[in-house]
Amino acid sequence: PQEQPGVTPIVVEITDFDVEKLIKELKGTIVLKGVEEPSSPHPVPEFFGTGKEPFTKPALHICVPKPVTTTSTTSSSTTTPSSSSSTTSSSTTTPSSSSSTTSSYPPRIKCEKPLGGVRIEKRPTTTIVYMEDPTDGDNLSTDELVVGKTKGSGLKVTYVTYDYEDILSLQNDTHDVWVYESKMFLKVKESTENKKHFKPQVTEIRPLADPIESVDTTDLVNNDGIEEPTGEFREIKKFPTNDRRTFAEFTDTIQKYINPSGSVYNKENNGIVLVNKYTEEGDNPQDNGVSIRYFGLDEEVPEDQPFIDVCYKVVEVKKCEEGTEEVVIVVKNVVTVDKANPDTNLAGDDLTIGSPDGTPDSEKRVIVTFNVESFDDEKYDLKDVTNAWIHLTFKDFVENGGRDSAEPENNILATPLTTTEEFDEDTATWENTGMDDLPENPEEIGTVNVPQEQPGVTPIVVEITDFDVEKLIKEYKGIVLKGVDEPTSPHPVPEFFGKGEEVFPKPALHVCVPKVVTTTSTATPTQTHTPTFTTASTTPTEPPLITNCTIPNGGGRIVIDLKEYLVIQEEPMSPENANYIEIGQTTGKGEKVILVYFDLEKAAETGVIEQFGEPPSDGQEKWDISVTDSKMNFRLTPVEDDNEDAWEPGRPILYPLKKPLDEDSSWSYPWLEGNKGPVPGIDYVSTVSAEFTKLKKRPEIGRWLQATSTTIARYIFTEYEDVKMKNNGFLMRYVTDSGEDATHFLSFDSPALADEEFRPFMDICYIPSVRPVPCTEGHLVWYDLNADTHIARDNLVHGTEDYLYIGNSGWAGKARSLIDFDMSKFNTELTKLHDESESVYLKLHFEGAELSKPYNDPRQMERKLAAHKILKAWNEGFATSKVATQSGKNKNKWDKEMMGELTDYDPEVIATDIISEGESEHDIYFNITATFKEWMDDKSSDHGIMIKDSQHESVPGYFLKFASLDHPDATRRPKLMVCQKKPKCEPEDLEPQKIYNHGCVSTNNVTLNYCVAKNGACTASDGSALDYGYMTGVSALWDDFHILRTFCKCCTDAAADKIQVPMDCAGADRPDYTEEVFYITKCECMRCEEVSAVRKKRATPSKTRLLLRSALKSMLRK
């Protein structure tokens, strides 16, 4: 057909012709000719011949019965034992996050490690050359990075990806990552192309808006899938006659994926493309020139390979204390006023604070008023505010040389706005806001310092410490932000994002109020029948256009009905109809979304017990389940209306809510951006979703819509607390393919009124699992692994792939998996194992058996997995069947290919597991307690374990596939399960002793006690001094706001009983009396600043504390 894309297969089906005759009599010779062609000149099709290397040559494919044979196959194959893309197999892993490096770039070019931060280097995981037509041998190549246009071939760009997961894992609710600086380094190759066509050019860095698979490569210049440049390498002014190094700023690029304002603002990491741009005016990138070639990942010298360096720091996110709720009061007006232009309104500009000329007449201030109407006076009381702060987003230093010339410290003062004049941001000026009439020494609301090294797009918090927040909101119009302690000479000043900023957080007032406890029921009707639980594949009866989740071998299926729902709509509102619920929007009416809640945990707990009984392991209170499949179903009900607008194709999408579904929800509450309604990434998770059936045209009949909700269910039911997602309910909205607003409402049967069989429901298919040890009497901790990979005879590096492989696939030969744990994460001094023989297990998720193609006599059979201790150091970035690790140019090899017994791994089997033929996916556990105890005694002996098939490794068949540390689903990644002794902070008695006080002595010995931390209690770090610019080891400090910060906890008394002790004062000049001492009844782990706060509330120290203090002083003196 005319629309047939290039480089695609054409299949000539041989239907009724005798294939044997074709091969034997006609010698396999055929003629291909055109038929039914027009009689006028016209284009004709052209195909690749046998000389075209990258693509499939012409061939005859025939299907014959499978032969039955028992002969084994050779294992000398060089193909990859997995079906993963070759783009990852040539990658190198990230060097360690130290400041050291192997590159030969001068230190002044590298990024500078921030105070309290780190510097790391990363190699790409993928480099692929893409071309416009006509293509040549560079197309889809991975050994070089090529950009530009050469005569006779199309424009070339190079697609590059980096893995930032190690840094992204540091972003969470309590911490952000600030990338201060980053650069990308390349090495230009000497050119061998025609010198006369050379044009001066630069190589630009352009992020991809979409995954590379969806980017149109027929036009790599005018392409919506390729964003504007975020950096460029130094100009190449002359024809490259020798190899040389070059670099580009990469900070703006990496901050798109690791946003300093938090993970909710991170963009999808689709990679970047390197694109050429001629520097002479009027030249088009698609004009002929000379392609620039850079060294690729295949270079043996590491410093010749492409890499980036990243200098970053982990910082604490300002949060409300436990037991309180954060309420955000958004900005109503925010504007800069300029004394140098007293009658000029600067609405819409970014916010500048300070006196850039160093004189009072050049001063710029920022005025902020808050939308106090958005604060719910009935729900919260401003008198109860316990903590508050003003949030700004820093942009950069501006004027007079910018950041490089900025002062080391730039102080900003917040004071009340006391003017009586009426204004808004569109009318405010220095003059009409009364800036010159403000008090000379105004009340101080708070101060903040913006240091010179503050990265752009990072939060600045003005702490409100001793100021009355209720007074600030109710009595004053707003606040004024002004620079203080500035130099008298011209200097740069800080600038912040204003209210018009669409991407990053706007100025806002954050207040902490006590959590409101409510017992009111939901305003919307709920289901009157209980969820059903069944192992049978049953679904509602009409219509049969949906499927159940697939029940795995040995598993079950649970069906959960919708429990609660709520429809909210943006203004202007449309009339409600009790017979159905709607999402979408129409012309002149606001968008509608549905908030829904399924009680998944309760349904799963009850359903699994109903199907499989109580957990068979003694002490384990409930089953763990591994979700294998899940579906979400809503019944569509078309409603006739007068809407004649064209239908906007799209689909309903379900997103998990970040906070529990609130029965009082409206379009403006409880969402962070107020009247903007629920915002993706902020109010609901936008990266995990369930997409329903696409609707290309307006529905005409009632039917079921279905979405696959497997990923959502896995994150809710995972055992891993670091990735577990709370079941807060879901938001469902209609999302159009074009990104434009919907033009119609999409209607569903009302759950309150619909027949039971037509109500929304969800099903979950799962495998029940029991941990090898319940650990109910201990403390269960899941530790991350340090590295993993698999090795095969292909001699390739597989350390960044999604799967680990074990077994023998026939064609690709043996595969073994290597796994390592960082013993430095385990505090062997303070943390004890609960059981000396069954406490430490390696957990792997088995995803099934897989062939490597082409295959030879594949047979899936029982495979016995055996774990062995590895005896030498290895690195997942270099490990292959021959190499263990690499230092510079020196390769440290295994003693034998695929590792030598006795020299590379210990022949003693430390743990086993059997995978039988036909087994479905499930979790497996290896008991490595004994080995782990050896590592505890000698941490240097920890090189991890190797797992191989000890039964049929030499027999060709299938690979066993396991999720690796790089698997996209974090709930499937391997972990180390450790059952530790429970941490305890408890009282312990002292020896009975006499009490002495002012010459008096107790008539009897008295038993006092003190608090003792056991089994690692109170040892977990609570923050880090690195965040405040101090070295590791500092346990307490005063921060910039003179607040005590501590990073360790102590076991201290939380409750005590009074004891009356008779005192004999015969030797003292006073009568006998009764002494009151305290006996501790409860101890708690408390941060030192919390203990300090408690101590301040006491009028005098307790007698017990005085006695203990005296005893401790005596012991110290001894």
Side-chain angles (χ1 to χ4, degrees):
Q2 182 187 17
E3 64 272 13
Q4 181 82 21
V7 199
T8 54
I10 292 292
V11 174
V12 183
E13 195 93 36
I14 301 176
T15 51
D16 300 325
F17 197 88
D18 187 340
V19 177
E20 183 179 22
K21 177 181 179 181
L22 171 63
I23 294 176
K24 291 186 175 181
E25 296 183 20
L26 304 177
K27 298 181 180 180
T29 302
I30 63 170
V31 177
L32 299 172
K33 58 178 287 187
V35 292
E36 300 177 6
E37 297 183 85
S39 55
S40 58
H42 60 280
V44 292
E46 184 177 56
F47 301 85
F48 288 117
T50 57
K52 193 63 179 176
E53 289 303 323
F55 308 119
T56 306
K57 304 175 179 63
L60 175 64
H61 295 247
I62 59 176
C63 301
V64 295
K66 286 184 178 179
V68 179
T69 175
T70 58
T71 57
S72 62
T73 180
T74 177
S75 60
S76 62
S77 165
T78 58
T79 58
T80 310
S82 72
S83 59
S84 60
S85 167
S86 63
T87 60
T88 60
S89 61
S90 62
S91 67
T92 61
T93 58
T94 307
S96 63
S97 58
S98 65
S99 58
S100 64
T101 174
T102 59
S103 74
S104 58
Y105 289 84
R108 62 182 177 81
I109 294 178
K110 304 168 190 170
C111 68
E112 184 176 352
K113 180 177 70 173
L115 187 64
V118 295
R119 176 184 181 274
I120 63 172
E121 291 184 1
K122 285 181 171 291
R123 263 62 182 176
T125 54
T126 307
T127 65
I128 306 175
V129 178
Y130 285 86
M131 292 183 62
E132 296 177 355
D133 287 329
T135 59
D136 57 25
D138 285 331
N139 192 40
L140 302 181
S141 65
T142 60
D143 55 343
E144 291 178 315
L145 284 66
V146 189
V147 299
K149 172 76 168 66
T150 304
K151 186 177 181 180
S153 65
L155 177 67
K156 302 172 184 178
V157 303
T158 297
Y159 167 64
V160 182
T161 62
Y162 289 94
D163 183 2
Y164 306 116
E165 284 302 317
D166 54 337
I167 305 178
L168 291 172
S169 66
L170 303 174
Q171 284 184 318
N172 51 47
D173 290 340
T174 59
H175 290 84
D176 286 337
V177 175
W178 291 2
V179 176
Y180 282 68
E181 190 180 9
S182 178
K183 291 186 172 71
M184 184 173 181
F185 300 87
L186 298 176
K187 188 172 182 181
V188 183
K189 275 191 172 183
E190 176 184 354
S191 182
T192 58
E193 296 182 14
N194 193 337
K195 184 176 181 179
K196 70 178 182 180
H197 292 142
F198 176 79
K199 295 181 180 181
Q201 60 186 279
V202 296
T203 297
E204 294 180 329
I205 299 170
R206 289 175 169 251
L208 288 178
D210 304 303
I212 187 66
E213 297 81 10
S214 62
V215 175
D216 179 13
T217 57
T218 61
D219 186 349
L220 295 169
V221 176
N222 304 306
N223 198 313
D224 292 337
I226 302 176
E227 297 180 3
E228 290 298 309
T230 51
E232 64 178 35
F233 291 82
R234 290 181 294 177
E235 183 180 3
I236 300 176
K237 298 180 180 180
K238 298 181 179 180
F239 183 83
T241 56
N242 61 296
D243 303 343
R244 64 179 180 84
R245 305 183 193 283
T246 185
F247 70 95
E249 290 293 335
F250 199 71
T251 311
D252 289 346
T253 308
I254 195 170
Q255 283 187 347
K256 294 174 77 70
Y257 314 121
I258 309 170
N259 195 294
S261 290
S263 58
V264 297
Y265 298 98
N266 291 348
K267 298 293 185 183
E268 190 71 24
N269 179 17
N270 294 316
I272 60 172
V273 287
L274 303 179
V275 184
N276 75 305
K277 182 183 77 173
Y278 297 125
T279 55
E280 292 182 0
E281 189 173 347
D283 283 346
N284 187 297
Q286 292 166 319
D287 293 341
N288 288 330
V290 170
S291 295
I292 302 300
R293 296 179 179 272
Y294 299 95
F295 286 80
L297 290 171
D298 291 345
E299 296 301 316
E300 290 190 358
V301 181
E303 54 263 40
D304 288 346
Q305 298 172 359
F307 70 95
I308 61 171
D309 67 354
V310 187
C311 292
Y312 69 90
K313 178 178 176 180
V314 180
V315 295
E316 187 176 3
V317 176
K318 178 66 178 172
K319 291 285 185 181
C320 289
E321 57 270 30
E322 191 173 348
T324 62
E325 184 175 353
E326 183 177 334
V327 177
V328 180
I329 303 176
V330 296
V331 161
K332 185 176 184 179
N333 296 292
V334 58
V335 65
T336 299
V337 293
D338 186 356
K339 190 171 184 178
N341 300 283
D343 297 321
T344 303
N345 174 258
L346 301 174
D349 290 358
D350 286 319
L351 311 174
T352 307
I353 302 173
S355 304
D357 290 349
T359 63
D361 290 339
S362 66
E363 184 181 11
K364 302 175 191 289
R365 298 177 182 173
V366 169
I367 298 174
V368 186
T369 65
F370 298 101
N371 185 11
V372 295
E373 294 81 11
S374 66
F375 186 83
D376 191 342
D377 286 321
E378 295 182 2
K379 189 172 184 179
Y380 306 108
D381 192 342
L382 284 170
K383 292 185 175 66
D384 297 329
V385 171
T386 59
N387 193 4
W389 65 90
I390 300 162
H391 180 283
L392 303 169
T393 302
F394 176 66
K395 186 175 182 181
D396 207 347
F397 290 95
V398 296
E399 302 193 42
N400 301 314
R403 180 184 297 274
D404 292 340
S405 303
E407 293 294 305
E409 296 186 350
N410 300 269
N411 296 307
I412 295 173
L413 171 67
T415 63
L417 178 61
T418 57
T419 181
T420 59
E421 300 293 330
E422 293 294 326
F423 68 91
D424 58 31
E425 64 187 20
D426 294 321
T427 60
T429 66
W430 183 280
E431 183 70 28
N432 66 21
T433 55
M435 288 295 103
D436 289 328
D437 300 325
L438 293 180
E440 188 171 330
N441 295 307
E443 292 181 87
E444 181 178 315
I445 295 174
T447 60
V448 69
N449 171 44
V450 185
Q452 182 186 20
E453 65 271 14
Q454 182 84 17
V457 200
T458 54
I460 293 291
V461 172
V462 183
E463 195 97 32
I464 302 176
T465 50
D466 298 323
F467 200 89
D468 186 344
V469 177
E470 183 179 28
K471 181 179 179 182
L472 171 64
I473 292 177
K474 293 188 174 181
E475 295 186 19
Y476 294 117
K477 285 184 174 295
I479 62 170
V480 178
L481 300 171
K482 58 179 291 186
V484 291
D485 302 328
E486 296 184 88
T488 55
S489 57
H491 59 278
V493 291
E495 189 175 68
F496 303 84
F497 288 109
K499 196 174 78 172
E501 172 59 33
E502 292 297 328
V503 179
F504 306 116
K506 305 174 179 62
L509 175 64
H510 297 244
V511 297
C512 302
V513 295
K515 284 186 177 178
V516 177
V517 180
T518 176
T519 58
T520 57
S521 60
T522 178
T524 54
T526 56
Q527 297 290 351
T528 57
H529 65 286
T530 55
T532 39
F533 311 100
T534 176
T535 53
S537 298
T538 59
T539 56
T541 55
E542 282 285 329
L545 297 178
I546 57 174
T547 59
N548 296 325
C549 62
T550 302
I551 302 175
N553 291 339
R557 174 175 177 261
I558 308 165
V559 181
I560 309 105
D561 288 329
L562 179 69
K563 182 178 180 182
E564 298 178 24
Y565 71 94
L566 184 66
V567 180
I568 61 175
Q569 185 177 15
E570 182 182 18
E571 292 185 349
M573 310 276 280
S574 59
E576 293 186 8
N577 189 316
N579 295 319
Y580 51 83
I581 55 178
E582 296 177 320
I583 59 174
Q585 68 184 105
T586 62
T587 303
K589 299 298 180 183
E591 182 187 9
K592 283 185 179 182
V593 301
I594 305 174
L595 308 179
V596 297
Y597 179 77
F598 295 84
D599 195 347
L600 302 180
E601 290 91 343
K602 182 179 179 181
E605 183 177 347
T606 309
V608 178
I609 291 176
E610 183 176 299
Q611 295 171 29
F612 293 94
E614 297 293 334
S617 178
D618 292 338
Q620 185 164 335
E621 297 176 356
K622 63 178 183 179
W623 290 91
D624 294 327
I625 68 170
S626 179
V627 177
T628 58
D629 192 11
S630 178
K631 307 290 184 185
M632 185 84 70
N633 306 279
F634 276 75
R635 174 79 180 190
L636 183 67
T637 303
V639 176
E640 293 186 6
D641 55 31
D642 297 329
N643 189 346
E644 296 182 356
D645 291 342
W647 177 264
E648 192 70 37
R651 69 183 73 222
I653 302 182
L654 199 81
Y655 303 97
L657 291 171
K658 287 198 169 185
K659 291 183 179 180
L661 190 153
D662 191 324
E663 62 182 14
D664 296 325
S665 295
S666 65
W667 192 261
S668 58
Y669 172 83
W671 320 116
L672 192 61
E673 294 286 341
N675 291 332
K676 285 192 175 180
V679 177
I682 298 178
D683 299 306
Y684 61 86
V685 180
S686 58
T687 54
V688 179
S689 62
E691 298 186 358
F692 285 84
T693 312
K694 183 176 179 178
L695 299 171
K696 297 181 179 180
K697 60 181 181 178
R698 184 172 181 174
E700 297 177 353
I701 59 172
R703 61 189 178 96
W704 285 99
L705 294 184
Q706 185 172 77
T708 298
S709 48
T710 310
T711 301
I712 290 177
R714 283 177 176 172
Y715 275 91
I716 290 175
F717 286 104
T718 182
E719 298 174 279
Y720 302 160
E721 291 297 329
D722 56 336
V723 298
K724 190 178 183 68
M725 186 185 294
K726 290 184 179 180
N727 179 27
N728 295 321
F730 307 96
L731 175 146
M732 185 164 70
R733 71 189 327 159
Y734 186 79
V735 179
T736 64
D737 291 348
S738 65
E740 300 294 329
D741 292 341
T743 54
H744 290 72
F745 288 125
L746 190 65
S747 305
F748 301 94
D749 285 340
S750 170
L753 300 177
D755 291 340
E756 185 172 322
E757 62 179 349
F758 289 154
R759 293 174 186 169
F761 72 97
M762 179 180 182
D763 66 352
I764 295 175
C765 290
Y766 65 95
I767 295 174
S769 63
V770 178
R771 295 189 297 270
V773 288
C775 200
T776 51
E777 296 181 1
H779 177 53
L780 184 65
V781 181
W782 295 97
Y783 288 97
D784 289 330
L785 299 176
N786 185 47
D788 68 0
T789 187
H790 67 270
I791 58 174
R793 292 186 183 273
D794 57 8
N795 201 31
L796 295 175
V797 175
H798 300 287
T800 58
E801 295 179 5
D802 294 348
Y803 296 101
L804 303 172
Y805 291 92
I806 302 172
N808 189 324
S809 76
W811 180 273
K814 302 175 185 177
R816 298 174 174 179
S817 287
L818 283 61
I819 297 171
D820 191 21
F821 174 71
D822 184 0
M823 283 301 296
S824 65
K825 296 179 180 178
F826 191 85
N827 191 325
T828 56
E829 299 297 325
L830 296 173
T831 311
K832 307 299 180 185
L833 300 182
H834 180 259
D835 185 284
E836 292 298 308
S837 59
E838 294 184 324
S839 283
V840 184
Y841 288 81
L842 171 65
K843 176 185 174 183
L844 296 176
H845 184 76
F846 173 62
E847 293 216 355
E850 182 175 294
L851 279 170
S852 177
K853 297 179 181 179
Y855 48 84
N856 181 15
D857 187 24
R859 285 172 287 164
Q860 188 178 357
M861 63 194 71
E862 178 180 282
R863 293 194 180 273
K864 184 176 182 180
L865 306 185
H868 301 259
K869 284 186 295 184
I870 299 176
L871 301 178
K872 66 165 59 171
W874 57 278
N875 185 299
E876 67 177 357
F878 299 101
T880 66
S881 60
K882 297 179 180 179
V883 176
T885 185
Q886 185 170 330
S887 177
K889 297 180 181 179
N890 299 320
K891 294 182 177 180
N892 302 314
K893 296 186 176 182
W894 301 115
D895 185 56
K896 295 180 180 179
E897 187 175 15
M898 294 297 291
M899 303 178 65
E901 195 171 80
L902 293 175
T903 53
D904 297 322
Y905 71 89
D906 193 323
E908 180 184 356
V909 176
I910 60 175
T912 63
D913 192 274
I914 294 177
I915 305 290
S916 301
E917 181 177 350
E919 279 197 48
S920 299
E921 66 172 288
H922 63 281
D923 296 326
I924 66 171
Y925 296 85
F926 292 94
N927 183 356
I928 62 169
T929 308
T931 300
F932 192 82
K933 288 168 61 182
E934 294 177 17
W935 293 343
M936 289 172 63
D937 295 335
D938 179 10
K939 292 185 177 182
S940 65
S941 66
D942 169 26
H943 300 302
I945 63 175
M946 180 269 289
I947 305 174
K948 66 171 188 171
D949 177 3
S950 64
Q951 187 175 11
H952 295 127
E953 189 178 44
S954 61
V955 181
Y958 284 73
F959 281 127
L960 303 181
K961 184 169 72 171
F962 300 86
S964 78
L965 290 173
D966 295 289
H967 195 279
D969 187 343
T971 69
R972 291 297 189 253
R973 294 171 188 165
K975 291 268 190 179
L976 200 66
M977 186 187 89
V978 181
C979 184
Q980 303 168 186
K981 289 187 176 180
K982 283 188 176 179
K984 294 181 180 180
C985 168
E986 60 185 9
E988 189 167 295
D989 288 347
L990 295 164
E991 288 295 324
Q993 58 181 305
K994 298 283 188 182
I995 293 178
Y996 298 87
N997 190 23
H998 299 293
C1000 301
V1001 61
S1002 61
T1003 58
N1004 298 304
N1005 285 341
V1006 179
T1007 299
L1008 298 177
N1009 61 355
Y1010 66 111
C1011 291
V1012 181
K1014 301 176 182 178
N1015 302 328
C1018 311
T1019 59
S1021 297
D1022 198 351
S1024 170
L1026 293 173
D1027 299 338
Y1028 297 87
Y1030 288 81
M1031 297 179 64
T1032 301
V1034 174
S1035 59
L1037 55 89
W1038 295 97
D1039 69 6
D1040 293 340
F1041 306 104
H1042 205 65
I1043 295 174
L1044 178 65
R1045 302 293 184 186
T1046 58
F1047 314 108
C1048 57
K1049 293 184 176 183
C1050 56
C1051 181
T1052 188
D1053 54 296
D1057 289 339
K1058 294 179 181 179
I1059 300 176
Q1060 305 297 322
V1061 180
M1063 302 293 290
D1064 181 1
C1065 298
D1069 188 17
R1070 59 180 296 182
D1072 294 347
Y1073 73 100
T1074 300
E1075 178 77 34
E1076 200 174 70
V1077 296
F1078 290 86
Y1079 184 81
I1080 300 171
T1081 58
K1082 181 182 178 182
C1083 299
E1084 285 184 358
C1085 294
M1086 298 178 67
R1087 286 170 58 176
C1088 296
E1089 60 220 61
E1090 295 169 345
V1091 177
S1092 177
V1094 172
R1095 298 285 175 263
K1096 288 178 182 177
K1097 294 177 183 178
R1098 294 178 176 168
T1100 57
S1102 69
K1103 295 291 192 303
T1104 303
R1105 185 162 298 281
L1106 289 172
L1107 287 168
L1108 289 173
R1109 189 181 300 167
S1110 175
L1112 286 169
K1113 286 182 179 177
S1114 175
M1115 292 168 62
L1116 289 171
R1117 282 195 295 271
K1118 290 177 183 178

